[in-house]
Amino acid sequence: MLGLRPPPTAAAEYTLGSSRHPDVPVRVHWPTAQRPAPAETGGLPVLIYFYGGAWTLAGIDWLGWDRSYRERAADAGVIVIAVDYSHAPEVQFPAQPEQGWTVLEWAHGAARELGGDPDRLAIGGASSGGNLAAAVTLMNRDRHQRPIRLQLLEAPALDLTLGHVDAGGVNKAIPDVILRQMAARLVTQYLGTDRGLRRHPYASPMLARSHAGLPPAVVWTAELDPLRGDGEAYVTTLTRAGVPAVGVRMIGQTHTSGGLRSVVPAAEHLHRDVVSTCVPSTHRRWTIRIRCAPRTTGYEPA
């Protein structure tokens, strides 16, 4: 019904071990039907991506996510590494961001073998995956400072104290208290009952003491999404810290409509924005390039 027909791109699976946390499977997607040869120099940009699913469901085998990875790899000409992180409540924080850190370290070391460029890494995610992507950029700054050139976040959850939840654009028939109760339940499943963890910077990247030194960011939010406040506040926070950041609010859209390309015109626009942002520059770095439609179409650059 949704027309899920991913392009025939090459893919391979790996399982990365960790001494303290569960192993993390990853699936590497190349932009062509044939896997490229290892790159002695240069190489393709590499995008590490975390799917959304409230830390409790979804995965790299879900048809919608698999299609998205393949289409973005093919259309942008980049390598996409899809991360199949562990689910809560069976596995809880900090396992998921630590798994993400493991993937980043592996991607940096294996980039040449994959046909990629270790100096052109980007990291992205949607919803809970956006939370993990932002957390890993903080971990990278605090630890080894690998060359992450770009954060690419879609409807991210970035403040698990729920201090930035914005229910103003959602259906007025749903009381704010109900939305907050639902969100708090998911946060507890992920973090456990220790409320102090909600302010940990790797759980709530928005609340880190400093955001200086983080990579440039592009953040997409949706008007009819309680999490729009998280993404838009993060853009402001990064900008104040001297980090180049761009925010785009998709008017009339919900938290999940960005994945419905075959039935929602705005989802196609979002895909093209993401691709144009990821298109590799002629220089040895990522270039943020956002194409916003005129206001008359209902899309508003925030």
Side-chain angles (χ1 to χ4, degrees), residues 63-135:
L63 291 179
W65 284 116
D66 182 73
R67 172 207 188 192
S68 175
Y69 298 140
R70 294 176 186 271
E71 289 178 335
R72 290 180 177 184
D75 292 350
V78 303
I79 297 171
V80 175
I81 299 178
V83 185
D84 208 11
Y85 57 88
S86 297
H87 287 171
E90 293 82 4
V91 178
Q92 294 181 320
F93 177 88
Q96 290 81 355
E98 291 291 348
Q99 288 176 320
W101 167 253
T102 297
V103 175
L104 172 62
E105 288 288 276
W106 174 80
H108 182 263
R112 294 289 188 204
E113 178 63 26
L114 298 174
D117 185 347
D119 293 324
R120 288 196 291 172
L121 301 176
I123 191 163
S127 192
S128 57
N131 172 284
L132 297 177

Side-chain angles (χ1 to χ4, degrees), residues 40 62 65 168 190 192 249 275:
E40 295 183 4
W62 280 38
W65 284 116
Y190 175 47
R249 181 191 288 189
V275 167

Side-chain angles (χ1 to χ4, degrees), residues 19-31:
S19 60
R20 299 177 54 195
H21 303 287
D23 293 350
V24 53
V26 299
R27 182 174 293 143
V28 180
H29 298 276
W30 287 275

Side-chain angles (χ1 to χ4, degrees), residues 2-298:
L2 296 179
L4 300 179
R5 299 181 182 88
T9 53
E13 297 182 6
Y14 301 84
T15 299
L16 311 182
S18 172
S19 60
R20 299 177 54 195
H21 303 287
D23 293 350
V24 53
V26 299
R27 182 174 293 143
V28 180
H29 298 276
W30 287 275
T32 56
Q34 297 296 324
R35 174 175 175 169
E40 295 183 4
T41 60
L44 297 171
V46 179
L47 170 63
I48 302 167
Y49 200 91
F50 299 85
Y51 59 81
W55 300 280
T56 61
L57 49 80
I60 62 175
D61 290 324
W62 280 38
L63 291 179
W65 284 116
D66 182 73
R67 172 207 188 192
S68 175
Y69 298 140
R70 294 176 186 271
E71 289 178 335
R72 290 180 177 184
D75 292 350
V78 303
I79 297 171
V80 175
I81 299 178
V83 185
D84 208 11
Y85 57 88
S86 297
H87 287 171
E90 293 82 4
V91 178
Q92 294 181 320
F93 177 88
Q96 290 81 355
E98 291 291 348
Q99 288 176 320
W101 167 253
T102 297
V103 175
L104 172 62
E105 288 288 276
W106 174 80
H108 182 263
R112 294 289 188 204
E113 178 63 26
L114 298 174
D117 185 347
D119 293 324
R120 288 196 291 172
L121 301 176
I123 191 163
S127 192
S128 57
N131 172 284
L132 297 177
V136 173
T137 65
L138 285 167
M139 298 167 81
N140 180 64
R141 183 200 62 184
D142 297 343
R143 297 177 181 181
H144 290 173
Q145 297 186 1
R146 302 304 186 194
I148 299 177
R149 303 298 185 188
L150 173 71
Q151 299 179 68
L152 192 155
L153 308 179
E154 301 172 68
L158 299 169
D159 176 4
L160 300 193
T161 70
L162 308 182
H164 288 83
V165 167
D166 179 2
V170 184
N171 191 327
K172 301 300 183 182
I174 304 176
D176 179 75
V177 64
I178 294 179
L179 290 172
R180 289 183 175 275
Q181 287 176 350
M182 294 171 59
R185 187 176 300 115
L186 292 171
V187 169
T188 300
Q189 287 181 322
Y190 175 47
L191 299 181
T193 57
D194 182 355
R195 295 183 65 86
L197 286 179
R198 296 186 180 195
R199 302 195 67 84
H200 193 291
Y202 300 160
S204 295
M206 176 87 71
L207 305 183
R209 290 186 177 181
S210 171
H211 295 84
L214 293 180
V218 181
V219 183
W220 288 270
T221 61
E223 179 189 19
L224 307 180
D225 178 11
L227 289 180
R228 71 182 187 185
D230 283 45
E232 292 171 8
Y234 190 59
V235 171
T236 300
T237 298
L238 291 177
T239 301
R240 289 174 176 170
V243 177
V246 174
V248 180
R249 181 191 288 189
M250 306 296 287
I251 300 302
Q253 301 308 302
T254 69
H255 185 69
T256 58
S257 61
L260 306 176
R261 283 183 61 195
S262 56
V263 292
V264 179
E268 177 67 20
H269 181 88
L270 172 61
H271 171 74
R272 295 182 183 279
D273 264 1
V274 172
V275 167
S276 65
T277 301
C278 289
V279 169
S281 139
T282 55
H283 305 288
R284 293 185 58 79
R285 59 174 296 170
W286 289 74
T287 298
I288 291 181
R289 291 189 288 175
I290 286 294
R291 179 184 59 196
C292 292
R295 291 179 181 271
T296 53
T297 64

